[in-house]
Amino acid sequence: MKKVLFLAALLLVCFSGVTNAQTRKQREDAKREAWKKERQEKKALEAQQDSVSFMKAIDALKNGSFVLEADNVVFRNGIMRFVSSNTNYVEVNDGQGIIQTAFTNFVYNWSPNGLGGVTVQGSVNGISMRQDKDGNIYYNYGINGIAVSATVSIVLTGGTNQASVTINPNFSGNTLTMNGYLVPYNESGVFQGTTW
């Protein structure tokens, strides 16, 4: 009799363990499916927001009124520095262009713009814009002013407002590349230093 009770208890424990394991697996599967669904919804929302940002960026380029706010700067020797996007930018508005760098993570005793870098301004000319088969936009122009004479080449990544700008001075080989986001001029929150 004790053996029968023992076997019955053992079967009951095993059965409840199997049932509990199945229930746990069902809960884990349900969590996994919910996470996948949430992730897909988030990706769809991000794609929609990127598409809207891309269209705004294209319109800003066509109107000649935009700001490329840089997250990082790459020097001609390949060294990259992360920078503040509200003080490192390339701007075009009403036929005038500004290029500004401000390296707050470097130690400078003096800088022309008071922000640890330079701010140059000039007239924009020779604008050209084209789109490749992948949807990337290539926007080029020249900028000429008292302290600047350069060719500026912007590449706007298709489907987003992520962009890269290469500034190639006409009288030196000090090429500079800035990577960040292109936004319409009226949506930008940049801070301009002293211009020369």
Side-chain angles (χ1 to χ4, degrees):
M1 181 77 178
K2 288 182 181 181
K3 283 185 176 181
V4 172
L5 285 174
F6 176 74
L7 286 175
L10 184 63
L11 283 173
L12 185 61
V13 168
C14 288
F15 181 71
S16 67
V18 168
T19 305
N20 191 21
Q22 288 176 346
T23 306
R24 186 177 322 127
K25 183 170 178 5
Q26 289 171 346
R27 281 193 305 250
E28 288 174 2
D29 288 345
K31 281 183 184 178
R32 191 174 299 113
E33 288 301 318
W35 179 78
K36 284 181 182 178
K37 184 177 179 183
E38 181 181 332
R39 187 170 171 210
Q40 288 173 345
E41 289 172 357
K42 188 175 180 180
K43 279 187 175 183
L45 180 62
E46 286 175 0
Q48 185 179 23
Q49 289 171 340
D50 283 346
S51 178
V52 169
S53 296
F54 181 64
M55 296 309 293
K56 282 184 175 182
I58 289 175
D59 287 342
L61 288 171
K62 287 179 181 176
N63 295 331
S65 183
F66 63 86
V67 178
L68 190 149
E69 300 174 349
D71 295 320
N72 65 63
V73 174
V74 181
F75 300 97
R76 72 178 177 156
N77 58 5
I79 294 174
M80 183 187 73
R81 298 284 185 231
F82 290 100
V83 294
S84 174
S85 63
N86 66 339
T87 55
N88 292 273
Y89 62 90
V90 172
E91 173 185 304
V92 171
N93 189 38
D94 291 331
Q96 291 293 307
I98 295 175
I99 300 169
Q100 177 171 289
T101 59
F103 304 111
T104 55
N105 52 353
F106 293 89
V107 178
Y108 282 109
N109 292 333
W110 176 85
S111 69
N113 67 359
L115 300 172
V118 295
T119 304
V120 291
Q121 183 173 3
S123 298
V124 172
N125 57 55
I127 297 171
S128 68
M129 182 173 162
R130 68 178 178 85
Q131 186 170 7
D132 69 9
K133 63 180 179 159
D134 296 324
N136 300 318
I137 306 292
Y138 297 88
Y139 188 90
N140 300 302
Y141 65 91
I143 182 169
N144 294 307
I146 296 171
V148 64
S149 177
T151 303
V152 180
S153 302
I154 297 173
V155 179
L156 177 65
T157 304
T160 71
N161 68 334
Q162 292 179 349
S164 176
V165 61
T166 301
I167 302 143
N168 191 7
N170 294 337
F171 301 113
S172 74
N174 294 328
T175 301
L176 181 72
T177 301
M178 303 169 92
N179 301 299
Y181 296 91
L182 196 139
V183 297
Y185 177 79
N186 59 357
E187 292 182 17
S188 177
V190 295
F191 177 78
Q192 183 176 337
T194 305
T195 305
W196 49 284

